[in-house]
Amino acid sequence: MVAVRLATMDDAEIIARQTSAVQQLHTDALPDIFKPPSADLFPAQKLAALLQDADSVVAVAEMDGRIVGHIYGAIVRRADNAFNRPGSHIYIHQIGVDEACRRGGVGTALVTFVLDRARAMGVLAVHVDHWAFNARAASFFEACGFQPMKIVMRHALKDDSLR
């Protein structure tokens, strides 16, 4: 059974390790964009700051007393302007689940936790994005009820003189 709870500073090391695994996945797929994981990627100070921020949600999933996943997000507020209505949503910055526990309900439990927190915070939407190479993430988020709303495209210039 998966239990999800708010993270504490005691979870810093495992969240850092899972963050490194997610970063490595991105680095392997897009090394021209992503740096390899390092000790500075998700230091304990970053977790401490997120835990102190009332607009942030950081949670971990446990199975059999062991942390097997994490998620973090934060409220994004958009001001009224000529093009868009004002609003707010929680943006999920990252989700990570141990490889051995994938497809076992851990990710769904983490997302459900954030959706419930969003409702409790009075936020009416949760946003997430994923990289096009990550078909597994696309399928997962769609299964959780997310729908595409914006496509970002890139045209990489190969001319080294532009760097």
Side-chain angles (χ1 to χ4, degrees), residues 143-159:
C144 288
F146 289 88
Q147 299 174 353
M149 58 182 259
K150 178 180 179 181
I151 305 295
V152 176
M153 300 176 77
R154 177 178 184 230
H155 183 113
L157 303 174
K158 301 296 183 187
D159 185 348

Side-chain angles (χ1 to χ4, degrees), residues 47-123:
L47 178 59
L50 289 171
L51 294 178
Q52 294 297 315
D53 183 353
D55 286 346
S56 293
V57 177
V58 185
V60 295
E62 294 180 318
M63 290 178 70
D64 301 322
R66 185 172 74 85
I67 296 172
V68 295
H70 76 281
I71 192 167
Y72 74 93
I75 294 178
V76 174
R77 291 180 176 80
R78 186 182 63 230
D80 187 34
N81 64 44
F83 298 99
N84 296 305
R85 300 179 190 283
S88 62
H89 62 272
I90 289 183
Y91 175 77
I92 297 174
H93 290 279
Q94 186 169 303
I95 182 170
V97 175
D98 287 351
E99 186 76 36
C101 297
R102 291 189 184 145
R103 304 204 51 83
V106 175
T108 301
L110 288 163
V111 168
T112 299
F113 185 88
V114 169
L115 294 173
D116 290 344
R117 295 291 292 195
R119 286 182 195 97
M121 296 167 88
V123 177

